[in-house]
Amino acid sequence: MSTVLPDSRSLLRRTLGERRIALVAWRLLVLQNSDPAVAAGLAHFSTYRAHPWRRVEHTMDSGQRLFFSDREGLQREIARLERTHRRIQGTDGQGRAFTALDPAVRVWVLVTLYESMTAMCELSGAPLSAGQRDLLYGEFRTVCAAFDLPGELFPATAADVPAYMDRTIRERLEYTEAAHDLLFQMLRQAPSPRRLGRLRPAWPLLRPVIAHLLTALTVADLPPAFRERFDLRRSRGAAALSWTLHHGMRHAMALLPDHLRYRSGATPPSATEHPTATPNANANAGSNSGGNGNGGNGKSPLGTLRALRLPLPRPRRSGRRSARQVRVEAFFRQVVDQTGDGFITAADLQAMAHNVCWQLELSEEQEARVYAGFDTWWQHIRATMDTDGDGRVSLAEFTTAVLAGVDRDPDYLRNGLHVALRALFRAADTDGSGYLTADEYRVLFGGSRVHPAELNHGFRQLDADGDGQITEDEFLRAFTDYFTARTDTTAGAQLLGRP
């Protein structure tokens, strides 16, 4: 097998890089998440229900880094994935142990990507020839070899892939909750994609239509063995929709210029006049195993908190909500409740750390500091807010504890939130300058629930001297003001945008 990675002229990059691959992306996710280990990891560690578009973007970004970068970038992404997957293990709802590092599971996830490329071509009426499939599979295996997985777990040749798919579907896959959500639930509840632009107000009307069409398309495109095993009916209307979209997109793509037809790094030989872009290194990051950290201050905030043995405030039931309460509730919903289930758990804080690390070019040591900071914050949250001891914190518990805590104890935020914020600031300060620029600020807070214009406004409010930068002290003071200011006129009170 060749040890030379595929380049922009390869069949692999041209097939995977053609934008119509999006037509089989949801099909790919359903197949992958029908593996019980993948589904269990998703149920325990993913925020896909609250942030489906971020989940899809992360998946696409990871594929870009794996299949469109040089060997150094490939090895870096594999190391990032292994650090992330090291944290994903446990026991599923049926008592079965799972780990994302299971070689058979990882091979399944990879092979489904190759199979989706061949399915895209077949569904469009232009199936790859046997020779093309051999070439594509050979290029694909060259990349997969960098994962150092047992070769015998992969289908030996391209001709063996259909039998591997059929066998795995019938013997190992299950109709998991994650697969059902992808097919029938997620899009019907999903927030509007940020890229929708001016059409975002129409999302509640568009969402059910798009959800219905994507469900029909995905069911129609799934392998016959999958539909048969899980009794998914492919209607005539769905089959017609699939034929129209796949054939239509194939012909439409052929009419587009190469820079529109292909993603970056996938231009064919005829497009040599367009320089091939390299993947954005600053977007290459991930997560690793964290630990209990002290934020670099030499004393454990958690130990200080335990020594104080502060009484836990009970949730209050006030009629009129103050400006501070409104802000704290917004922080809970927009920032901390990553899973969108109305509670904070360790998974929410871990997801926040993961999302920060994903955006940045961090070493394993830097990632560990981010996770340690957020773990310390979670321990502080649990110790000061979980009044009923159920291992999670509700909106009422969070709001009451924060408002009471900042009024009673000057070190309340310093012992928890500030530890995570210092780790976050230093990770985002990629050039070590000691301050954040507007672009670095947007990377941190540019989530799907906050409009970019509001982020720009928040940055300008904090940048009082107009020099285009925020120091670490200004960063921490802004969060302190956000939780303590009695009115919304204070700059820090507008951290997440206008009131």
Side-chain angles (χ1 to χ4, degrees):
M1 184 179 297
S2 172
T3 59
V4 179
L5 291 179
D7 59 21
S8 61
R9 297 167 295 179
S10 67
L11 181 60
L12 174 66
R13 286 197 178 183
R14 285 185 284 131
T15 305
L16 186 59
E18 193 169 5
R19 296 189 186 276
R20 64 190 174 102
I21 194 73
L23 289 176
V24 293
W26 216 257
R27 172 189 185 275
L28 169 66
L29 291 175
V30 171
L31 288 172
Q32 292 178 343
N33 287 284
S34 295
D35 184 290
V38 177
L42 204 68
H44 286 77
F45 296 95
S46 177
T47 61
Y48 76 98
R49 287 188 176 90
H51 301 279
W53 309 120
R54 187 174 72 191
R55 164 73 179 178
V56 172
E57 288 174 2
H58 284 190
T59 300
M60 298 295 288
D61 286 346
S62 184
Q64 179 85 359
R65 299 171 194 172
L66 290 173
F67 293 95
F68 293 87
S69 52
D70 57 18
R71 187 165 294 279
E72 180 182 354
L74 171 62
Q75 294 290 355
R76 193 166 57 237
E77 177 62 9
I78 291 174
R80 186 199 66 78
L81 288 172
E82 289 182 349
R83 292 196 298 270
T84 301
H85 291 158
R86 199 178 302 147
R87 307 177 67 87
I88 303 177
Q89 56 182 312
T91 305
D92 68 10
Q94 299 182 35
R96 299 173 296 188
F98 71 88
T99 171
L101 292 177
D102 183 339
V105 175
R106 300 179 77 185
V107 168
W108 167 250
V109 170
L110 288 168
V111 173
T112 53
L113 180 60
Y114 163 81
E115 188 272 343
S116 292
M117 288 187 278
T118 62
M120 177 190 75
C121 298
E122 185 173 347
L123 290 165
S124 70
L128 298 175
S129 67
Q132 288 173 320
R133 289 196 299 272
D134 288 339
L135 175 61
L136 180 65
Y137 192 61
E139 294 172 345
F140 172 77
R141 287 294 307 277
T142 298
V143 177
C144 292
F147 282 86
D148 199 24
L149 295 166
E152 62 271 16
L153 294 179
F154 287 89
T157 67
D160 297 315
V161 171
Y164 166 86
M165 294 292 299
D166 190 78
R167 182 174 62 255
T168 305
I169 288 170
R170 297 184 186 280
E171 296 178 2
R172 194 169 84 216
L173 297 195
E174 299 174 1
Y175 188 63
T176 63
E177 182 180 355
H180 178 79
D181 281 352
L182 284 163
L183 283 172
F184 299 107
Q185 296 294 334
M186 186 188 302
L187 280 179
R188 288 168 172 78
Q189 305 166 358
S192 64
R194 285 185 57 183
R195 293 184 179 182
L196 208 57
R198 295 181 179 179
L199 292 177
R200 291 183 73 179
W203 177 245
L205 299 176
L206 296 173
R207 181 167 52 191
V209 176
I210 294 174
H212 176 76
L213 293 176
L214 187 55
T215 295
L217 174 68
T218 305
V219 170
D221 291 349
L222 283 166
F226 190 97
R227 296 199 305 269
E228 178 184 337
R229 181 174 181 197
F230 301 117
D231 195 25
L232 295 171
R233 179 175 172 270
R234 185 194 195 204
S235 67
R236 291 183 179 180
L241 174 68
S242 172
W243 190 97
T244 301
L245 287 177
H246 285 288
H247 284 70
M249 285 294 291
R250 175 168 66 89
H251 292 295
M253 288 289 107
L255 299 176
L256 292 177
D258 293 327
H259 70 281
L260 295 178
R261 180 177 180 180
Y262 297 97
R263 296 187 69 186
S264 176
T267 51
S270 60
T272 53
E273 66 273 19
H274 300 294
T276 299
T278 57
N280 182 1
N282 286 333
N284 183 19
S287 56
N288 60 291
S289 57
N292 289 327
N294 59 17
N297 59 10
K299 185 176 182 181
S300 168
L302 184 55
T304 302
L305 185 67
R306 286 173 174 165
L308 290 175
R309 299 186 183 279
L310 299 175
L312 301 182
R314 293 292 172 181
R316 63 183 182 184
R317 293 181 174 85
S318 59
R320 185 176 180 181
R321 295 152 66 229
S322 67
R324 280 202 307 164
Q325 182 176 347
V326 171
R327 289 198 304 272
V328 172
E329 291 174 355
F331 192 83
F332 179 96
R333 295 189 178 100
Q334 295 184 13
V335 178
V336 194
D337 182 15
Q338 290 284 303
T339 57
D341 63 355
F343 295 92
I344 307 173
T345 65
D348 292 291
L349 277 295
Q350 183 174 332
M352 292 177 68
H354 170 76
N355 198 43
V356 169
C357 292
W358 182 273
Q359 314 294 337
L360 306 170
E361 183 73 42
L362 301 179
S363 67
E364 185 170 357
E365 183 180 355
Q366 289 172 317
E367 291 179 2
R369 286 198 290 266
V370 172
Y371 274 91
F374 277 85
D375 182 67
T376 298
W377 185 20
W378 162 244
Q379 300 301 335
H380 181 270
I381 287 174
R382 186 175 62 177
T384 62
M385 301 181 188
D386 184 13
T387 57
D388 57 8
D390 64 351
R392 60 183 188 173
V393 174
S394 67
L395 173 63
E397 288 175 321
F398 181 82
T399 303
T400 300
V402 168
L403 294 177
V406 297
D407 286 342
R408 179 187 58 224
D409 180 10
D411 291 331
Y412 183 80
L413 296 178
R414 187 182 307 164
N415 290 331
L417 174 63
H418 281 194
V419 179
L421 290 177
R422 289 187 187 277
L424 185 151
F425 181 95
R426 292 167 187 177
D429 180 17
T430 54
D431 58 2
S433 62
Y435 57 80
L436 298 185
T437 64
D439 287 341
E440 290 172 328
Y441 179 87
R442 281 191 289 268
V443 168
L444 285 178
F445 299 111
S448 61
R449 300 182 184 185
V450 186
H451 194 279
E454 296 301 300
L455 290 167
N456 293 338
H457 173 78
F459 182 87
R460 288 193 298 269
Q461 291 295 311
L462 302 187
D463 183 19
D465 57 5
D467 64 353
Q469 59 191 37
I470 299 172
T471 66
E472 184 173 318
D473 286 342
E474 289 174 327
F475 188 68
L476 296 176
R477 187 165 59 250
F479 277 90
T480 300
D481 290 346
Y482 182 88
F483 290 108
T484 60
R486 297 287 177 176
T487 69
D488 290 327
T489 57
T490 304
Q494 301 184 35
L495 188 69
L496 299 182
R498 300 174 181 84

